[in-house]
Amino acid sequence: MIEQRVAAIKEKSPAVELINLGIGDISLPLAPLIAQAICQAAEEMTSPAGRHGYGPHEGFPFLREAIAEVEYPHLGIEPDEIFISEGINRDIVQIHELFHPHARIAIPDPTYPAYFDTLAMAGKGPRIERLACTATSHYLPEPCQHHFDLIYLCFPNNPTGVGMSRNQLANWVSYAHAHQAVLLCDRAYKAFTTSPDVPLSIYEIEGAAECAIEFCSFSKSAGFTGLRCGYTVVPNALHGRCGRRRVSLRSLWDRRQATQTNGVSYPIQRGALAALSSEGLRQTRAQVATYLQTAKILREGLERLGYTCAGGLDSPYIWWRIDPASSWEFFDRLLEECHLVCVPGRGFGALGEGHVRLSAFTTPDVANRALERIAFSMASLTEMPDR
Ligand code: PLP
């Protein structure tokens, strides 16, 4: 729907310069060190000694070991608990297959829409309850009183941009222990975390290894959206039940992956390894810093104009409150009057209404120009009809 509306305005006014703050994709070029490592690995494969056919379904040891060392120092996560994938989207939308078809599932509202959509496609819609994340709860879900088996937690969140503090995560870990539930933690934006109280991993919380699976991606942290690489951590300590039998979820996931994937290509895993080297981290962190600087400009600029926003501190997304407007109506106004593209909050769940998401996957200069346009059109933007 967004693409159609954007295409319509381009057709109506071809000379117009649109600013796209709707993109959930990286905008900076690939870090040179990663490109070199990928090219070198492909070159290596041209010699008989460097031949690589199918790789291990769980990922090459060199990458699993580097992730354990760089991403989980002192957290006790071992390489055999880390499963390399071609980005985490597929893992996070398919993980429910390990669990009973009648498992009760909780999903924050608003959040990344792929969880709900794939579960609904799998016929599990009636098993899902939405956890309200509204301005009143600072866009965070409160642990609830009744029982769920699986809880999706996407923090720092897409779209609200809000991170979850140590205490809040600890509450969820306690809930999971009390209910024998499993937390499915989407950490696609963990590289953007800046608040000292927002943990980089759920495993920083005591007891999390017995109740949480963590999904991490190189997509946004190292510019891999077009290369595809991520990883899922399923700790050895995590067990489910099949009748009276305790079942290792790590073994189940390993078995499933052995059947359903033939691994991620060798050059891409070499590129991911380069991203974890000290020079790779320096290059990719500089990119993340640029996105965060842009997020700060957007958020502070909107606040200076008198608007209310969340996010932008631990994530590249700004959650702009436009109460009481319909988010699609606001989207249309922003497009027509400012030639600015955003994402209507309604696309992330019913409680996304009254908000739009702006993305900082652009440059500070573009963000400043977007703010100038918003400031210029402010009077008409804020005169939204009540509903
Ligand atoms: N999870 C969230 C919250 C996302 O926003 C995205 C992509 O935008 C993904 C997962 C997908 O990540 P990947 O590119 O690793 O498949």
Side-chain angles (χ1 to χ4, degrees), residues 24-25 85-92 111-112 114-115 154-159 186-189 216-220 224-225 228-231 317 357 361:
D25 197 353
S85 63
E86 84 287 278
I88 56 171
N89 200 70
R90 183 159 323 161
D91 286 3
I92 201 152
T111 200
Y112 188 53
Y115 319 139
C154 171
F155 293 93
N157 184 264
N158 178 10
D186 183 335
R187 312 291 289 184
Y189 298 96
C216 302
S217 174
F218 290 94
S219 282
K220 308 291 164 64
F224 270 63
T225 52
R228 314 302 302 138
C229 196
Y231 57 93
Y317 298 125
R357 189 195 78 180
F361 285 121

